[in-house]
Amino acid sequence: MARRVITLDEKIRTAETAVAAAKAKYDSALDELEKLVTKKKQLDDKKVLEAYHSGNKTADEIVTFIQSAHKSEE
């Protein structure tokens, strides 16, 4: 039984197909990640806003607190 020789061009086409499939999968995963991160940020924003509305602090007091906490981390 004779073995079929795979040409360099065939190997290149196979590699190109594999790369295209991997890129499509990567792009899809990246889109999903971006959607999830955006959703998490929206939920965080909503949580902070709800806490602000239910609390007794002013916006200026909250901003000052956040900025002071940020400076102490540095």
Side-chain angles (χ1 to χ4, degrees):
M1 180 184 263
R3 273 183 83 184
R4 182 177 179 278
V5 177
I6 299 174
T7 67
L8 186 56
D9 287 336
E10 289 174 317
K11 289 181 181 180
I12 289 171
R13 279 192 298 276
T14 301
E16 287 173 340
T17 302
V19 168
K23 184 179 182 321
K25 187 174 181 180
Y26 168 81
D27 289 342
S28 176
L30 185 59
D31 287 343
E32 180 67 17
L33 175 61
E34 288 172 350
K35 287 177 188 174
L36 291 170
V37 169
T38 299
K39 183 171 181 125
K40 180 168 182 356
K41 286 180 180 180
Q42 289 172 342
L43 291 172
D44 288 347
D45 290 347
K46 183 178 178 184
K47 186 177 179 180
V48 169
L49 191 58
E50 287 173 356
Y52 168 70
H53 286 296
S54 66
N56 60 356
K57 301 289 184 190
T58 67
D60 290 335
E61 290 172 324
I62 293 171
V63 170
T64 300
F65 170 76
I66 292 171
Q67 289 174 341
S68 67
H70 178 68
K71 288 180 183 177
S72 68
E73 290 176 1
E74 294 175 347

